[in-house]
Amino acid sequence: MASEEVMRVGGAGFEETAAESSWSGGVAPYAIGSKKLGMWLFIVSDAITFSALLIAYSYVRVASRAWPTPFLLWPSIANATVMTVVLLTSSVTMVMAVRAARLGKRPHVVRWLLATMLGGLAFVVLHAHEWSELIREGVRLFQNPWGTPLFGAAFFSLTGLHMTHVTIGVLYLGVIAAGQARGKFTSEDVEVSGLYWHFVDLVWMFIFPLVYLMSAKTI
Amino acid sequence: MKQTTEHAHAAGSKRLFMFVWMWLLAITGVEVVLAYQHLEVKLMLGLLMSLSFVKGALIISYFMHLRYEKRSLAVTLMPALVLIIILLFVFFPDSLRLYELRPR
């Protein structure tokens, strides 16, 4: 435990202050490792980034004339719903990986991590296919066949940043899985990568209704 | 420290995770159905966002097991995040000005 080490270094006389005062770093106020705390702090800052983008998206949407609502139930909404299910399911496999890591079952950890990566990969493939369809229909950053030109910029930047996060997540989990397979990394490392993965899932829970469901074409 | 987190993690059993997962899928289904109801935009947005907040809370509480961490962690992180997100809305009324001024 970190506080014990501080107490040893501090020596006699310092012991009591170190044990009692959280301000001097003598105790771990959150009772978690520094990696986990670091990831939580990153997640909070990243959540602010995505919030800013989602609010900017809503802003231009309200301020624009004729915001396009081009997403048909088939294929767009159906595709996005499948993507949501895939991402939610990959979160469950991630939870199982963390659980296996806690129990020290390394082969299980690797298998669950690979399943999670497969989910992430499926998400990226479905998303990339959707992008290519939209681009083929003539949607560009500052022009599209339906309405206000900002639609493309808002759509591609928001979903693009999220897709980048998923891609980085798959690579991150790959590194952790490879390390676990070779007997490297602790269960905390798996847990920290899980936090990132669940966060990426969480962000999609807001992109899906705001970008897709609110733009569903109802005939 | 390892023991305390291990003990806390026992609170997240396999069954609980499956339960949370099913709820998340069910809420997603409700959202998709809701998108095809002919509701007023504000009401639709309010309902969809409320449901998404429930989903987000489920993910943070159980999958990211913030619920089972020391409460000091949530108390440190969450109010700051919520406050900043609220503050981001400071520019939002301007979009309504553009809405009112735009040519019809």
Side-chain angles (χ1 to χ4, degrees):
Chain A
M1 206 182 228
S3 58
E4 280 165 8
E5 259 180 59
V6 172
M7 275 157 57
R8 269 204 306 277
V9 173
F14 186 67
E15 279 176 33
E16 272 200 353
T17 11
E20 278 166 16
S21 164
S22 23
W23 304 110
S24 59
V27 292
Y30 303 115
I32 58 173
S34 52
K35 281 181 190 170
K36 200 159 143 187
L37 181 60
M39 182 51 87
W40 266 112
L41 292 175
F42 167 74
I43 285 171
V44 167
S45 71
D46 216 23
I48 295 166
T49 306
F50 273 109
S51 305
L53 269 181
L54 280 166
I55 290 169
Y57 166 82
S58 310
Y59 180 105
V60 290
R61 186 170 173 157
V62 171
S64 297
R65 245 181 129 192
W67 190 264
T69 52
F71 298 123
L72 288 165
L73 179 59
W74 185 265
S76 296
I77 297 292
N79 187 60
T81 307
V82 170
M83 281 159 65
T84 310
V85 171
V86 165
L87 213 53
L88 281 173
T89 309
S90 78
S91 253
V92 176
T93 57
M94 187 69 231
V95 160
M96 300 313 271
V98 174
R99 195 166 176 276
R102 284 249 167 257
L103 299 172
K105 296 175 178 165
R106 279 181 186 265
H108 287 79
V109 178
V110 175
R111 241 172 284 157
W112 283 118
L113 281 177
L114 286 176
T116 311
M117 287 166 68
L118 204 66
L121 214 59
F123 180 90
V124 173
V125 168
L126 287 170
H127 212 354
H129 177 253
E130 189 209 358
W131 268 41
S132 65
E133 287 295 309
L134 283 172
I135 292 167
R136 212 174 50 188
E137 284 178 58
V139 185
R140 300 286 186 275
L141 273 179
F142 297 107
Q143 121 197 18
N144 66 73
W146 309 303
T148 178
L150 280 174
F151 172 79
F155 177 83
F156 286 127
S157 57
L158 196 45
T159 57
L161 187 70
H162 182 263
M163 214 194 318
T164 310
H165 274 75
V166 178
T167 311
I168 291 172
V170 171
L171 296 174
Y172 180 14
L173 294 182
V175 171
I176 298 291
Q180 281 280 318
R182 282 181 291 127
K184 272 170 67 185
F185 297 139
T186 61
S187 68
E188 192 197 13
D189 292 314
V190 180
E191 202 184 332
V192 169
S193 67
L195 283 179
Y196 176 83
W197 191 258
H198 297 311
F199 170 70
V200 171
D201 183 15
L202 168 70
V203 169
W204 184 255
M205 295 309 130
F206 288 91
I207 296 181
F208 176 56
L210 278 174
V211 175
Y212 289 91
L213 295 181
M214 291 298 289
S215 298
K217 191 176 208 163
T218 47
I219 314 164
Chain B
M1 189 197 298
K2 203 171 167 227
Q3 247 150 21
T4 46
T5 35
E6 233 159 32
H7 173 73
H9 206 76
S13 69
K14 233 187 233 180
R15 241 185 90 218
L16 178 71
F17 290 138
M18 289 299 154
F19 192 65
V20 172
W21 179 53
M22 301 238 259
W23 265 105
L24 288 167
L25 292 182
I27 297 173
T28 305
V30 170
E31 282 183 335
V32 175
V33 172
L34 201 63
Y36 285 92
Q37 308 306 308
H38 293 279
L39 301 174
E40 205 205 329
V41 174
K42 278 178 199 161
L43 179 64
M44 172 93 83
L45 185 65
L47 287 172
L48 285 177
M49 281 298 96
S50 312
L51 289 171
S52 285
F53 270 107
V54 173
K55 282 161 86 179
L58 283 173
I59 291 174
I60 293 177
S61 309
Y62 295 100
F63 287 173
M64 297 166 90
H65 50 81
L66 190 57
R67 233 197 114 183
Y68 306 115
E69 304 289 0
K70 258 185 128 181
R71 232 176 79 192
S72 58
L73 185 63
V75 169
T76 307
L77 296 174
M78 290 306 149
L81 179 59
V82 171
L83 190 68
I84 292 169
I85 292 174
I86 290 171
L87 285 173
L88 285 174
F89 276 99
V90 78
F91 299 110
F92 211 84
D94 199 44
S95 70
L96 297 169
R97 179 181 61 89
L98 294 171
Y99 179 86
E100 296 298 332
L101 289 180
R102 71 191 183 188
R104 272 158 224 271

